[in-house]
Amino acid sequence: MRDLAWDGYRNARDLGGLPTPLSDGGMTIFGRIARGPRRELLTATGWQDAHRWGLAAVVDLRCEYEIGVRDGDPAIEPDAMPAVQFVHAPTEDQDDPEFREVCFPILDSPEYWHHNWRILPDLVLVSFEAIAAAPSGVLVHCSAGRDRTGMISALLLANAGVGPAEVAADYAESVRAMAGVPTHSPTGDRQASWGDDEVSGWLLKTMPIVEDIAADVDNAFAMIGASSVLRARLREQLTAAHLRQPNAGSGDIRC
């Protein structure tokens, strides 16, 4: 039920349906936040699928140079796309010297996540502010929908009370979904050539990292500089039966 069958768009999942003691129903709520890869992979039918899901906003975590149609992407007529709010909220500054030195060798691993919010906390904060301010029915995506989207999704889920093992399992689903799949990204992705053996070995190493991050979510948000009001708003998006309208306390979008 969590997998989203949007045409042309593999590795798309609803963040609803995961166990949490913070929701009256005992599960994160469907239809609030989805995760996925680059939106240019959606076909016209896929956009309509997303519209039926309730898509109202897209928060794009990519760098500016990554955005746009590439060879192999479906051709979409402008009138085929539903009216959606687009927010560009990159989590990375790839010109930052420390980020390049520390993170570039491990950009396809959750090892880099805590370095991202340590080195560039303001950028990661803006991403969360954008999600908090978005209308219900928001798609969060990067390129493969695995690493940057994985980082943001892991913290969203942990903040909503989802246990570390379930958070890590959600990350693992994206690794499996994108292994052996070209993402039409301008940068290389070694996982695009992986088979089952490489994936299994990788997850043995990386799932414990994700679990540790999820278990220490309070420290992560403290380093990012997220206020209690922002965290509450993010938590409500996945746990509250009825959402309040975003307000100034949720944080301005600086994109």
PDB file of all heavy atoms in Angstrom, residues 15 35 113-114 117 124 128 148-162 167 170 210 212-222 224 226 231 234-235 238:
ATOM      1  N   LEU A  15       4.872   8.093   2.790  1.00  0.00           N
ATOM      2  CA  LEU A  15       5.450   7.941   4.125  1.00  0.00           C
ATOM      3  C   LEU A  15       4.406   7.548   5.165  1.00  0.00           C
ATOM      4  O   LEU A  15       4.730   7.409   6.346  1.00  0.00           O
ATOM      5  CB  LEU A  15       6.158   9.230   4.560  1.00  0.00           C
ATOM      6  CG  LEU A  15       7.413   9.616   3.774  1.00  0.00           C
ATOM      7  CD1 LEU A  15       8.152  10.764   4.465  1.00  0.00           C
ATOM      8  CD2 LEU A  15       8.355   8.432   3.570  1.00  0.00           C
ATOM      9  N   ARG A  35       7.766  10.301  -1.108  1.00  0.00           N
ATOM     10  CA  ARG A  35       9.175  10.428  -1.480  1.00  0.00           C
ATOM     11  C   ARG A  35       9.375   9.798  -2.849  1.00  0.00           C
ATOM     12  O   ARG A  35       8.672   8.851  -3.222  1.00  0.00           O
ATOM     13  CB  ARG A  35      10.073   9.754  -0.453  1.00  0.00           C
ATOM     14  CG  ARG A  35       9.807   8.271  -0.253  1.00  0.00           C
ATOM     15  CD  ARG A  35      10.797   7.639   0.698  1.00  0.00           C
ATOM     16  NE  ARG A  35      12.147   7.636   0.152  1.00  0.00           N
ATOM     17  CZ  ARG A  35      13.241   7.280   0.822  1.00  0.00           C
ATOM     18  NH1 ARG A  35      13.112   6.878   2.076  1.00  0.00           N
ATOM     19  NH2 ARG A  35      14.429   7.301   0.265  1.00  0.00           N
ATOM     20  N   TRP A 113      25.201  11.807   5.754  1.00  0.00           N
ATOM     21  CA  TRP A 113      24.061  12.602   6.191  1.00  0.00           C
ATOM     22  C   TRP A 113      24.410  13.555   7.325  1.00  0.00           C
ATOM     23  O   TRP A 113      24.103  14.742   7.251  1.00  0.00           O
ATOM     24  CB  TRP A 113      22.908  11.692   6.609  1.00  0.00           C
ATOM     25  CG  TRP A 113      22.289  10.891   5.510  1.00  0.00           C
ATOM     26  CD1 TRP A 113      22.592  10.947   4.173  1.00  0.00           C
ATOM     27  CD2 TRP A 113      21.259   9.911   5.650  1.00  0.00           C
ATOM     28  NE1 TRP A 113      21.820  10.055   3.469  1.00  0.00           N
ATOM     29  CE2 TRP A 113      20.989   9.402   4.352  1.00  0.00           C
ATOM     30  CE3 TRP A 113      20.544   9.406   6.720  1.00  0.00           C
ATOM     31  CZ2 TRP A 113      20.024   8.416   4.119  1.00  0.00           C
ATOM     32  CZ3 TRP A 113      19.585   8.430   6.495  1.00  0.00           C
ATOM     33  CH2 TRP A 113      19.324   7.943   5.203  1.00  0.00           C
ATOM     34  N   HIS A 114      25.034  13.031   8.379  1.00  0.00           N
ATOM     35  CA  HIS A 114      25.305  13.906   9.520  1.00  0.00           C
ATOM     36  C   HIS A 114      26.336  14.973   9.171  1.00  0.00           C
ATOM     37  O   HIS A 114      26.338  16.063   9.750  1.00  0.00           O
ATOM     38  CB  HIS A 114      25.738  13.108  10.760  1.00  0.00           C
ATOM     39  CG  HIS A 114      27.116  12.559  10.715  1.00  0.00           C
ATOM     40  ND1 HIS A 114      27.448  11.404  10.037  1.00  0.00           N
ATOM     41  CD2 HIS A 114      28.275  13.015  11.258  1.00  0.00           C
ATOM     42  CE1 HIS A 114      28.732  11.161  10.174  1.00  0.00           C
ATOM     43  NE2 HIS A 114      29.262  12.114  10.889  1.00  0.00           N
ATOM     44  N   TRP A 117      24.300  17.961   7.503  1.00  0.00           N
ATOM     45  CA  TRP A 117      23.668  18.942   8.386  1.00  0.00           C
ATOM     46  C   TRP A 117      24.657  19.560   9.372  1.00  0.00           C
ATOM     47  O   TRP A 117      24.380  20.611   9.948  1.00  0.00           O
ATOM     48  CB  TRP A 117      22.446  18.378   9.097  1.00  0.00           C
ATOM     49  CG  TRP A 117      22.624  17.206  10.013  1.00  0.00           C
ATOM     50  CD1 TRP A 117      23.283  17.165  11.206  1.00  0.00           C
ATOM     51  CD2 TRP A 117      22.073  15.896   9.829  1.00  0.00           C
ATOM     52  NE1 TRP A 117      23.191  15.930  11.780  1.00  0.00           N
ATOM     53  CE2 TRP A 117      22.448  15.125  10.964  1.00  0.00           C
ATOM     54  CE3 TRP A 117      21.299  15.312   8.849  1.00  0.00           C
ATOM     55  CZ2 TRP A 117      22.083  13.783  11.115  1.00  0.00           C
ATOM     56  CZ3 TRP A 117      20.934  13.978   8.998  1.00  0.00           C
ATOM     57  CH2 TRP A 117      21.326  13.222  10.119  1.00  0.00           C
ATOM     58  N   VAL A 124      19.780  22.439   5.044  1.00  0.00           N
ATOM     59  CA  VAL A 124      18.904  21.346   5.460  1.00  0.00           C
ATOM     60  C   VAL A 124      17.690  21.900   6.202  1.00  0.00           C
ATOM     61  O   VAL A 124      16.563  21.423   6.023  1.00  0.00           O
ATOM     62  CB  VAL A 124      19.682  20.332   6.323  1.00  0.00           C
ATOM     63  CG1 VAL A 124      18.768  19.196   6.774  1.00  0.00           C
ATOM     64  CG2 VAL A 124      20.879  19.775   5.556  1.00  0.00           C
ATOM     65  N   PHE A 128      13.437  21.442   5.422  1.00  0.00           N
ATOM     66  CA  PHE A 128      12.374  21.083   6.362  1.00  0.00           C
ATOM     67  C   PHE A 128      11.333  22.200   6.484  1.00  0.00           C
ATOM     68  O   PHE A 128      10.137  21.934   6.611  1.00  0.00           O
ATOM     69  CB  PHE A 128      12.960  20.739   7.727  1.00  0.00           C
ATOM     70  CG  PHE A 128      13.576  19.382   7.782  1.00  0.00           C
ATOM     71  CD1 PHE A 128      14.934  19.212   8.013  1.00  0.00           C
ATOM     72  CD2 PHE A 128      12.806  18.240   7.592  1.00  0.00           C
ATOM     73  CE1 PHE A 128      15.512  17.954   8.054  1.00  0.00           C
ATOM     74  CE2 PHE A 128      13.373  16.978   7.628  1.00  0.00           C
ATOM     75  CZ  PHE A 128      14.729  16.829   7.863  1.00  0.00           C
ATOM     76  N   ARG A 148      19.673  11.977  -0.680  1.00  0.00           N
ATOM     77  CA  ARG A 148      19.152  13.206  -0.073  1.00  0.00           C
ATOM     78  C   ARG A 148      17.713  13.007   0.389  1.00  0.00           C
ATOM     79  O   ARG A 148      17.351  13.387   1.514  1.00  0.00           O
ATOM     80  CB  ARG A 148      19.247  14.361  -1.083  1.00  0.00           C
ATOM     81  CG  ARG A 148      20.660  14.873  -1.265  1.00  0.00           C
ATOM     82  CD  ARG A 148      20.792  15.747  -2.495  1.00  0.00           C
ATOM     83  NE  ARG A 148      20.737  14.979  -3.732  1.00  0.00           N
ATOM     84  CZ  ARG A 148      20.990  15.485  -4.936  1.00  0.00           C
ATOM     85  NH1 ARG A 148      21.285  16.773  -5.058  1.00  0.00           N
ATOM     86  NH2 ARG A 148      20.953  14.723  -6.017  1.00  0.00           N
ATOM     87  N   THR A 149      16.902  12.415  -0.466  1.00  0.00           N
ATOM     88  CA  THR A 149      15.522  12.114  -0.060  1.00  0.00           C
ATOM     89  C   THR A 149      15.511  11.133   1.098  1.00  0.00           C
ATOM     90  O   THR A 149      14.668  11.227   1.997  1.00  0.00           O
ATOM     91  CB  THR A 149      14.732  11.550  -1.246  1.00  0.00           C
ATOM     92  OG1 THR A 149      14.796  12.488  -2.324  1.00  0.00           O
ATOM     93  CG2 THR A 149      13.288  11.290  -0.882  1.00  0.00           C
ATOM     94  N   GLY A 150      16.438  10.195   1.097  1.00  0.00           N
ATOM     95  CA  GLY A 150      16.552   9.247   2.205  1.00  0.00           C
ATOM     96  C   GLY A 150      16.881   9.941   3.511  1.00  0.00           C
ATOM     97  O   GLY A 150      16.326   9.601   4.565  1.00  0.00           O
ATOM     98  N   MET A 151      17.784  10.909   3.443  1.00  0.00           N
ATOM     99  CA  MET A 151      18.161  11.660   4.644  1.00  0.00           C
ATOM    100  C   MET A 151      16.958  12.413   5.214  1.00  0.00           C
ATOM    101  O   MET A 151      16.658  12.312   6.418  1.00  0.00           O
ATOM    102  CB  MET A 151      19.277  12.651   4.296  1.00  0.00           C
ATOM    103  CG  MET A 151      19.654  13.592   5.410  1.00  0.00           C
ATOM    104  SD  MET A 151      20.992  14.749   4.943  1.00  0.00           S
ATOM    105  CE  MET A 151      20.124  15.827   3.786  1.00  0.00           C
ATOM    106  N   ILE A 152      16.269  13.164   4.363  1.00  0.00           N
ATOM    107  CA  ILE A 152      15.127  13.949   4.824  1.00  0.00           C
ATOM    108  C   ILE A 152      14.005  13.030   5.308  1.00  0.00           C
ATOM    109  O   ILE A 152      13.394  13.273   6.357  1.00  0.00           O
ATOM    110  CB  ILE A 152      14.633  14.880   3.708  1.00  0.00           C
ATOM    111  CG1 ILE A 152      15.714  15.909   3.338  1.00  0.00           C
ATOM    112  CG2 ILE A 152      13.346  15.572   4.119  1.00  0.00           C
ATOM    113  CD1 ILE A 152      16.126  16.834   4.458  1.00  0.00           C
ATOM    114  N   SER A 153      13.742  11.961   4.573  1.00  0.00           N
ATOM    115  CA  SER A 153      12.675  11.035   4.959  1.00  0.00           C
ATOM    116  C   SER A 153      12.973  10.361   6.289  1.00  0.00           C
ATOM    117  O   SER A 153      12.077  10.181   7.118  1.00  0.00           O
ATOM    118  CB  SER A 153      12.472   9.976   3.872  1.00  0.00           C
ATOM    119  OG  SER A 153      12.045  10.561   2.662  1.00  0.00           O
ATOM    120  N   ALA A 154      14.222   9.967   6.496  1.00  0.00           N
ATOM    121  CA  ALA A 154      14.593   9.303   7.747  1.00  0.00           C
ATOM    122  C   ALA A 154      14.318  10.212   8.946  1.00  0.00           C
ATOM    123  O   ALA A 154      13.777   9.767   9.970  1.00  0.00           O
ATOM    124  CB  ALA A 154      16.059   8.888   7.711  1.00  0.00           C
ATOM    125  N   LEU A 155      14.677  11.487   8.827  1.00  0.00           N
ATOM    126  CA  LEU A 155      14.448  12.398   9.943  1.00  0.00           C
ATOM    127  C   LEU A 155      12.970  12.723  10.112  1.00  0.00           C
ATOM    128  O   LEU A 155      12.488  12.864  11.236  1.00  0.00           O
ATOM    129  CB  LEU A 155      15.268  13.669   9.749  1.00  0.00           C
ATOM    130  CG  LEU A 155      16.792  13.493   9.819  1.00  0.00           C
ATOM    131  CD1 LEU A 155      17.496  14.834   9.688  1.00  0.00           C
ATOM    132  CD2 LEU A 155      17.229  12.795  11.102  1.00  0.00           C
ATOM    133  N   LEU A 156      12.238  12.841   8.999  1.00  0.00           N
ATOM    134  CA  LEU A 156      10.794  13.050   9.109  1.00  0.00           C
ATOM    135  C   LEU A 156      10.119  11.894   9.837  1.00  0.00           C
ATOM    136  O   LEU A 156       9.278  12.101  10.723  1.00  0.00           O
ATOM    137  CB  LEU A 156      10.182  13.197   7.714  1.00  0.00           C
ATOM    138  CG  LEU A 156      10.405  14.508   6.974  1.00  0.00           C
ATOM    139  CD1 LEU A 156       9.907  14.387   5.543  1.00  0.00           C
ATOM    140  CD2 LEU A 156       9.712  15.672   7.682  1.00  0.00           C
ATOM    141  N   LEU A 157      10.474  10.670   9.458  1.00  0.00           N
ATOM    142  CA  LEU A 157       9.846   9.501  10.062  1.00  0.00           C
ATOM    143  C   LEU A 157      10.236   9.359  11.529  1.00  0.00           C
ATOM    144  O   LEU A 157       9.390   9.089  12.384  1.00  0.00           O
ATOM    145  CB  LEU A 157      10.224   8.249   9.280  1.00  0.00           C
ATOM    146  CG  LEU A 157       9.620   8.147   7.876  1.00  0.00           C
ATOM    147  CD1 LEU A 157      10.220   6.950   7.134  1.00  0.00           C
ATOM    148  CD2 LEU A 157       8.095   8.024   7.932  1.00  0.00           C
ATOM    149  N   ALA A 158      11.522   9.530  11.831  1.00  0.00           N
ATOM    150  CA  ALA A 158      11.961   9.410  13.218  1.00  0.00           C
ATOM    151  C   ALA A 158      11.318  10.488  14.084  1.00  0.00           C
ATOM    152  O   ALA A 158      10.919  10.231  15.227  1.00  0.00           O
ATOM    153  CB  ALA A 158      13.484   9.498  13.299  1.00  0.00           C
ATOM    154  N   ASN A 159      11.197  11.701  13.538  1.00  0.00           N
ATOM    155  CA  ASN A 159      10.544  12.791  14.267  1.00  0.00           C
ATOM    156  C   ASN A 159       9.077  12.481  14.536  1.00  0.00           C
ATOM    157  O   ASN A 159       8.503  12.946  15.517  1.00  0.00           O
ATOM    158  CB  ASN A 159      10.673  14.082  13.452  1.00  0.00           C
ATOM    159  CG  ASN A 159      10.108  15.294  14.153  1.00  0.00           C
ATOM    160  OD1 ASN A 159      10.523  15.638  15.253  1.00  0.00           O
ATOM    161  ND2 ASN A 159       9.146  15.946  13.510  1.00  0.00           N
ATOM    162  N   ALA A 160       8.471  11.669  13.656  1.00  0.00           N
ATOM    163  CA  ALA A 160       7.062  11.280  13.819  1.00  0.00           C
ATOM    164  C   ALA A 160       6.909  10.053  14.708  1.00  0.00           C
ATOM    165  O   ALA A 160       5.789   9.549  14.863  1.00  0.00           O
ATOM    166  CB  ALA A 160       6.431  11.013  12.454  1.00  0.00           C
ATOM    167  N   GLY A 161       8.003   9.584  15.289  1.00  0.00           N
ATOM    168  CA  GLY A 161       7.928   8.477  16.223  1.00  0.00           C
ATOM    169  C   GLY A 161       8.080   7.106  15.618  1.00  0.00           C
ATOM    170  O   GLY A 161       7.909   6.093  16.311  1.00  0.00           O
ATOM    171  N   VAL A 162       8.407   7.021  14.336  1.00  0.00           N
ATOM    172  CA  VAL A 162       8.640   5.719  13.705  1.00  0.00           C
ATOM    173  C   VAL A 162       9.969   5.167  14.227  1.00  0.00           C
ATOM    174  O   VAL A 162      10.966   5.897  14.342  1.00  0.00           O
ATOM    175  CB  VAL A 162       8.671   5.854  12.172  1.00  0.00           C
ATOM    176  CG1 VAL A 162       8.980   4.522  11.513  1.00  0.00           C
ATOM    177  CG2 VAL A 162       7.327   6.396  11.670  1.00  0.00           C
ATOM    178  N   VAL A 167      12.553   2.868  10.040  1.00  0.00           N
ATOM    179  CA  VAL A 167      13.166   3.940   9.251  1.00  0.00           C
ATOM    180  C   VAL A 167      14.247   3.367   8.341  1.00  0.00           C
ATOM    181  O   VAL A 167      14.328   3.707   7.153  1.00  0.00           O
ATOM    182  CB  VAL A 167      13.753   5.023  10.182  1.00  0.00           C
ATOM    183  CG1 VAL A 167      14.538   6.056   9.378  1.00  0.00           C
ATOM    184  CG2 VAL A 167      12.640   5.711  10.978  1.00  0.00           C
ATOM    185  N   ASP A 170      12.793   1.521   5.394  1.00  0.00           N
ATOM    186  CA  ASP A 170      12.323   2.413   4.334  1.00  0.00           C
ATOM    187  C   ASP A 170      13.489   2.844   3.452  1.00  0.00           C
ATOM    188  O   ASP A 170      13.375   2.880   2.221  1.00  0.00           O
ATOM    189  CB  ASP A 170      11.627   3.625   4.942  1.00  0.00           C
ATOM    190  CG  ASP A 170      11.081   4.563   3.885  1.00  0.00           C
ATOM    191  OD1 ASP A 170      10.138   4.169   3.179  1.00  0.00           O
ATOM    192  OD2 ASP A 170      11.609   5.682   3.756  1.00  0.00           O
ATOM    193  N   VAL A 210      21.693   4.118   9.441  1.00  0.00           N
ATOM    194  CA  VAL A 210      20.388   4.782   9.419  1.00  0.00           C
ATOM    195  C   VAL A 210      19.670   4.596  10.752  1.00  0.00           C
ATOM    196  O   VAL A 210      19.048   5.529  11.272  1.00  0.00           O
ATOM    197  CB  VAL A 210      19.543   4.257   8.251  1.00  0.00           C
ATOM    198  CG1 VAL A 210      18.167   4.930   8.239  1.00  0.00           C
ATOM    199  CG2 VAL A 210      20.249   4.489   6.919  1.00  0.00           C
ATOM    200  N   ASP A 212      21.018   4.236  13.693  1.00  0.00           N
ATOM    201  CA  ASP A 212      21.653   5.106  14.689  1.00  0.00           C
ATOM    202  C   ASP A 212      21.203   6.554  14.522  1.00  0.00           C
ATOM    203  O   ASP A 212      20.964   7.266  15.505  1.00  0.00           O
ATOM    204  CB  ASP A 212      23.179   5.019  14.569  1.00  0.00           C
ATOM    205  CG  ASP A 212      23.734   3.700  15.086  1.00  0.00           C
ATOM    206  OD1 ASP A 212      23.002   2.964  15.778  1.00  0.00           O
ATOM    207  OD2 ASP A 212      24.909   3.399  14.781  1.00  0.00           O
ATOM    208  N   ILE A 213      21.092   7.004  13.276  1.00  0.00           N
ATOM    209  CA  ILE A 213      20.648   8.375  13.020  1.00  0.00           C
ATOM    210  C   ILE A 213      19.213   8.564  13.492  1.00  0.00           C
ATOM    211  O   ILE A 213      18.873   9.563  14.143  1.00  0.00           O
ATOM    212  CB  ILE A 213      20.791   8.698  11.522  1.00  0.00           C
ATOM    213  CG1 ILE A 213      22.276   8.868  11.171  1.00  0.00           C
ATOM    214  CG2 ILE A 213      19.993   9.941  11.137  1.00  0.00           C
ATOM    215  CD1 ILE A 213      22.562   8.960   9.693  1.00  0.00           C
ATOM    216  N   ALA A 214      18.354   7.600  13.190  1.00  0.00           N
ATOM    217  CA  ALA A 214      16.954   7.693  13.611  1.00  0.00           C
ATOM    218  C   ALA A 214      16.824   7.681  15.127  1.00  0.00           C
ATOM    219  O   ALA A 214      15.966   8.369  15.700  1.00  0.00           O
ATOM    220  CB  ALA A 214      16.147   6.552  12.999  1.00  0.00           C
ATOM    221  N   ALA A 215      17.663   6.914  15.792  1.00  0.00           N
ATOM    222  CA  ALA A 215      17.615   6.833  17.248  1.00  0.00           C
ATOM    223  C   ALA A 215      18.093   8.126  17.907  1.00  0.00           C
ATOM    224  O   ALA A 215      17.749   8.402  19.060  1.00  0.00           O
ATOM    225  CB  ALA A 215      18.459   5.657  17.735  1.00  0.00           C
ATOM    226  N   ASP A 216      18.871   8.920  17.176  1.00  0.00           N
ATOM    227  CA  ASP A 216      19.429  10.166  17.710  1.00  0.00           C
ATOM    228  C   ASP A 216      18.826  11.377  17.006  1.00  0.00           C
ATOM    229  O   ASP A 216      19.502  12.374  16.769  1.00  0.00           O
ATOM    230  CB  ASP A 216      20.954  10.145  17.529  1.00  0.00           C
ATOM    231  CG  ASP A 216      21.658  11.143  18.434  1.00  0.00           C
ATOM    232  OD1 ASP A 216      21.077  11.547  19.466  1.00  0.00           O
ATOM    233  OD2 ASP A 216      22.794  11.533  18.105  1.00  0.00           O
ATOM    234  N   VAL A 217      17.536  11.288  16.657  1.00  0.00           N
ATOM    235  CA  VAL A 217      16.895  12.332  15.855  1.00  0.00           C
ATOM    236  C   VAL A 217      16.883  13.683  16.569  1.00  0.00           C
ATOM    237  O   VAL A 217      16.979  14.732  15.927  1.00  0.00           O
ATOM    238  CB  VAL A 217      15.468  11.900  15.460  1.00  0.00           C
ATOM    239  CG1 VAL A 217      14.567  11.754  16.684  1.00  0.00           C
ATOM    240  CG2 VAL A 217      14.871  12.850  14.437  1.00  0.00           C
ATOM    241  N   ASP A 218      16.787  13.684  17.889  1.00  0.00           N
ATOM    242  CA  ASP A 218      16.769  14.954  18.615  1.00  0.00           C
ATOM    243  C   ASP A 218      18.073  15.714  18.397  1.00  0.00           C
ATOM    244  O   ASP A 218      18.065  16.939  18.190  1.00  0.00           O
ATOM    245  CB  ASP A 218      16.548  14.722  20.103  1.00  0.00           C
ATOM    246  CG  ASP A 218      15.148  14.236  20.425  1.00  0.00           C
ATOM    247  OD1 ASP A 218      14.253  14.400  19.572  1.00  0.00           O
ATOM    248  OD2 ASP A 218      14.950  13.683  21.521  1.00  0.00           O
ATOM    249  N   ASN A 219      19.193  15.013  18.460  1.00  0.00           N
ATOM    250  CA  ASN A 219      20.479  15.662  18.246  1.00  0.00           C
ATOM    251  C   ASN A 219      20.607  16.164  16.819  1.00  0.00           C
ATOM    252  O   ASN A 219      21.141  17.252  16.571  1.00  0.00           O
ATOM    253  CB  ASN A 219      21.613  14.698  18.565  1.00  0.00           C
ATOM    254  CG  ASN A 219      22.979  15.358  18.463  1.00  0.00           C
ATOM    255  OD1 ASN A 219      23.230  16.381  19.093  1.00  0.00           O
ATOM    256  ND2 ASN A 219      23.864  14.782  17.659  1.00  0.00           N
ATOM    257  N   ALA A 220      20.100  15.394  15.866  1.00  0.00           N
ATOM    258  CA  ALA A 220      20.166  15.813  14.465  1.00  0.00           C
ATOM    259  C   ALA A 220      19.414  17.123  14.257  1.00  0.00           C
ATOM    260  O   ALA A 220      19.940  18.075  13.661  1.00  0.00           O
ATOM    261  CB  ALA A 220      19.600  14.724  13.557  1.00  0.00           C
ATOM    262  N   PHE A 221      18.187  17.205  14.765  1.00  0.00           N
ATOM    263  CA  PHE A 221      17.414  18.426  14.581  1.00  0.00           C
ATOM    264  C   PHE A 221      18.013  19.594  15.357  1.00  0.00           C
ATOM    265  O   PHE A 221      17.898  20.754  14.929  1.00  0.00           O
ATOM    266  CB  PHE A 221      15.957  18.202  14.969  1.00  0.00           C
ATOM    267  CG  PHE A 221      15.107  17.687  13.841  1.00  0.00           C
ATOM    268  CD1 PHE A 221      14.602  16.401  13.866  1.00  0.00           C
ATOM    269  CD2 PHE A 221      14.818  18.492  12.758  1.00  0.00           C
ATOM    270  CE1 PHE A 221      13.817  15.927  12.815  1.00  0.00           C
ATOM    271  CE2 PHE A 221      14.033  18.019  11.711  1.00  0.00           C
ATOM    272  CZ  PHE A 221      13.527  16.741  11.740  1.00  0.00           C
ATOM    273  N   ALA A 222      18.670  19.311  16.479  1.00  0.00           N
ATOM    274  CA  ALA A 222      19.338  20.384  17.219  1.00  0.00           C
ATOM    275  C   ALA A 222      20.489  20.960  16.401  1.00  0.00           C
ATOM    276  O   ALA A 222      20.674  22.181  16.333  1.00  0.00           O
ATOM    277  CB  ALA A 222      19.847  19.857  18.558  1.00  0.00           C
ATOM    278  N   ILE A 224      20.717  20.937  13.172  1.00  0.00           N
ATOM    279  CA  ILE A 224      20.128  21.622  12.025  1.00  0.00           C
ATOM    280  C   ILE A 224      19.583  22.990  12.433  1.00  0.00           C
ATOM    281  O   ILE A 224      19.511  23.915  11.627  1.00  0.00           O
ATOM    282  CB  ILE A 224      19.012  20.747  11.415  1.00  0.00           C
ATOM    283  CG1 ILE A 224      19.625  19.508  10.770  1.00  0.00           C
ATOM    284  CG2 ILE A 224      18.167  21.511  10.408  1.00  0.00           C
ATOM    285  CD1 ILE A 224      18.634  18.402  10.482  1.00  0.00           C
ATOM    286  N   ALA A 226      16.496  23.302  14.028  1.00  0.00           N
ATOM    287  CA  ALA A 226      15.037  23.255  13.914  1.00  0.00           C
ATOM    288  C   ALA A 226      14.394  23.592  15.254  1.00  0.00           C
ATOM    289  O   ALA A 226      14.752  23.020  16.283  1.00  0.00           O
ATOM    290  CB  ALA A 226      14.588  21.882  13.446  1.00  0.00           C
ATOM    291  N   ARG A 231       9.435  21.339  14.360  1.00  0.00           N
ATOM    292  CA  ARG A 231       9.366  19.889  14.536  1.00  0.00           C
ATOM    293  C   ARG A 231       7.932  19.427  14.790  1.00  0.00           C
ATOM    294  O   ARG A 231       7.515  18.376  14.279  1.00  0.00           O
ATOM    295  CB  ARG A 231      10.278  19.455  15.682  1.00  0.00           C
ATOM    296  CG  ARG A 231      11.757  19.570  15.375  1.00  0.00           C
ATOM    297  CD  ARG A 231      12.602  18.894  16.434  1.00  0.00           C
ATOM    298  NE  ARG A 231      12.343  17.457  16.483  1.00  0.00           N
ATOM    299  CZ  ARG A 231      12.920  16.636  17.361  1.00  0.00           C
ATOM    300  NH1 ARG A 231      13.772  17.105  18.254  1.00  0.00           N
ATOM    301  NH2 ARG A 231      12.640  15.344  17.353  1.00  0.00           N
ATOM    302  N   LEU A 234       6.085  19.406  11.445  1.00  0.00           N
ATOM    303  CA  LEU A 234       6.491  18.255  10.640  1.00  0.00           C
ATOM    304  C   LEU A 234       5.874  16.968  11.186  1.00  0.00           C
ATOM    305  O   LEU A 234       5.436  16.098  10.421  1.00  0.00           O
ATOM    306  CB  LEU A 234       8.011  18.152  10.613  1.00  0.00           C
ATOM    307  CG  LEU A 234       8.758  19.272   9.890  1.00  0.00           C
ATOM    308  CD1 LEU A 234      10.247  19.179  10.184  1.00  0.00           C
ATOM    309  CD2 LEU A 234       8.510  19.232   8.389  1.00  0.00           C
ATOM    310  N   ARG A 235       5.832  16.863  12.506  1.00  0.00           N
ATOM    311  CA  ARG A 235       5.258  15.672  13.133  1.00  0.00           C
ATOM    312  C   ARG A 235       3.761  15.580  12.842  1.00  0.00           C
ATOM    313  O   ARG A 235       3.234  14.505  12.528  1.00  0.00           O
ATOM    314  CB  ARG A 235       5.514  15.723  14.635  1.00  0.00           C
ATOM    315  CG  ARG A 235       5.144  14.458  15.399  1.00  0.00           C
ATOM    316  CD  ARG A 235       5.501  14.597  16.860  1.00  0.00           C
ATOM    317  NE  ARG A 235       6.916  14.870  17.049  1.00  0.00           N
ATOM    318  CZ  ARG A 235       7.408  16.001  17.560  1.00  0.00           C
ATOM    319  NH1 ARG A 235       6.593  16.973  17.937  1.00  0.00           N
ATOM    320  NH2 ARG A 235       8.717  16.157  17.685  1.00  0.00           N
ATOM    321  N   LEU A 238       2.483  14.003   9.579  1.00  0.00           N
ATOM    322  CA  LEU A 238       2.453  12.551   9.456  1.00  0.00           C
ATOM    323  C   LEU A 238       1.626  11.856  10.526  1.00  0.00           C
ATOM    324  O   LEU A 238       1.411  10.641  10.432  1.00  0.00           O
ATOM    325  CB  LEU A 238       3.885  11.995   9.485  1.00  0.00           C
ATOM    326  CG  LEU A 238       4.716  12.262   8.230  1.00  0.00           C
ATOM    327  CD1 LEU A 238       6.156  11.835   8.445  1.00  0.00           C
ATOM    328  CD2 LEU A 238       4.123  11.542   7.020  1.00  0.00           C
TER     329      LEU A 238
END
